[in-house]
Amino acid sequence: MAARKYDYIIIYSILFASILSIAVLVRLLVISELQMDEFSGLVAFVIVCLLLGAAYLSFQSIIDVWLLPVIERTVSKKYPQIECEPEVEPIGSMPNGEISVPNYDEYKQTAQQKIQQEQAKVLENVLTYTVQELALYLTESELQQLCEHIRFFQYATENECKQIKIPIAVDATLKSIDLMHFGWNIGNQFKKTGIETATFVKRVFAERLKESEISTIKRKLRAEGTCIIKIKEKL
């Protein structure tokens, strides 16, 4: 960058020296050959400097605006540039010819930790919602047991949900539709299917829903009606 700056200084110094030299010669010519006074020589000197400076700027503008683009287009058509593909760092090969991925275990562990953190956050939100929503309708021991069922439900399949043996007793204030809405709200956070959620609700609230089949619960998980527990897309 500094070398380029010095190049510009040298070029402009030569340019200004040339303009001044020509202007001085014109001044001497005006005084000696045309027999004019010193003031006329000075005026001639200034006019020559201005004219030469203007001529240089005009010439430079013509080159930048008209001449260079034409030259660039001509050269590009005659010698088209070949774009180089970016270099890609090769993946190492094992002695037996298999391809190895650098730091695979490290990246895999990081991804797994991220998933675990996200799932732990989801579970925390669901448990907080459960306590806030059902504290008025369950005893403390029943609420603790329900939270244990929910921890199990996060990773349970439909068949595993059928293995739940301890049902939860809820206050009579809550209707079947409330329990179905509650089940859908937490099942939705865990990305559960309708049949998985219905099976969980059926087993956990077995006493209250003893007259309802799993297929019926699945169909009515988001049923509309008078209720205390509302459907919530996000907790």
Side-chain angles (χ1 to χ4, degrees), residues 9-39:
I9 293 175
I10 294 173
I11 292 173
Y12 285 115
S13 297
I14 294 174
L15 175 65
F16 292 146
S18 301
I19 292 175
L20 291 175
S21 299
I22 296 173
V24 168
L25 291 175
V26 172
R27 176 179 177 277
L28 294 177
L29 180 63
V30 168
I31 294 175
S32 61
E33 297 296 332
L34 301 180
Q35 302 296 320
M36 293 185 177
D37 55 15
E38 292 288 336
F39 178 75

Side-chain angles (χ1 to χ4, degrees), residues 34-217:
L34 301 180
Q35 302 296 320
M36 293 185 177
D37 55 15
E38 292 288 336
F39 178 75
S40 299
L42 178 61
V43 171
F45 174 83
V46 172
I47 292 175
V48 170
C49 287
L50 294 175
L51 290 176
L52 291 177
Y56 170 76
L57 293 176
S58 299
F59 180 72
Q60 186 72 27
S61 177
I62 292 172
I63 291 178
D64 292 340
V65 176
W66 301 101
L67 189 58
L68 286 181
V70 173
I71 293 175
E72 289 177 356
R73 286 196 298 269
T74 303
V75 173
S76 63
K77 290 179 180 179
K78 189 172 182 181
Y79 305 102
Q81 295 182 351
I82 300 176
E83 296 183 358
C84 297
E85 296 183 357
E87 295 184 359
V88 179
E89 184 178 353
I91 299 177
S93 299
M94 302 294 287
N96 58 2
E98 296 180 357
I99 297 177
S100 64
V101 180
N103 302 323
Y104 170 77
D105 292 335
E106 180 181 346
Y107 289 130
K108 181 178 180 180
Q109 183 178 3
T110 301
Q112 290 175 338
Q113 290 176 349
K114 183 178 180 181
I115 293 174
Q116 291 173 356
Q117 291 173 356
E118 293 174 351
Q119 292 174 340
K121 182 63 176 177
V122 171
L123 177 60
E124 180 182 353
N125 291 340
V126 170
L127 293 178
T128 300
Y129 162 75
T130 299
V131 174
Q132 293 174 346
E133 194 74 65
L134 299 180
L136 291 176
Y137 311 105
L138 278 72
T139 64
E140 183 177 357
S141 60
E142 294 284 2
L143 192 56
Q144 289 176 348
Q145 184 60 56
L146 177 59
C147 289
E148 289 301 318
H149 288 330
I150 291 173
R151 290 189 179 92
F152 173 76
F153 178 49
Q154 184 176 15
Y155 301 104
T157 63
E158 177 189 353
N159 290 330
E160 289 172 338
C161 287
K162 293 178 180 179
Q163 300 173 9
I164 296 175
K165 302 297 183 181
I166 305 176
I168 303 298
V170 298
D171 189 275
T173 308
L174 291 180
K175 302 177 181 179
S176 297
I177 189 174
D178 294 307
L179 302 180
M180 295 177 189
H181 285 179
F182 171 77
W184 189 90
N185 288 344
I186 65 173
N188 183 52
Q189 303 306 306
F190 293 147
K191 309 299 182 184
K192 296 295 185 179
T193 63
I195 191 63
E196 289 173 338
T197 301
T199 303
F200 173 78
V201 171
K202 173 68 175 179
R203 299 298 299 177
V204 171
F205 304 110
E207 183 62 29
R208 182 59 57 83
L209 299 175
K210 61 183 178 181
E211 302 298 332
S212 301
E213 298 293 333
I214 291 178
S215 58
T216 303
I217 296 174

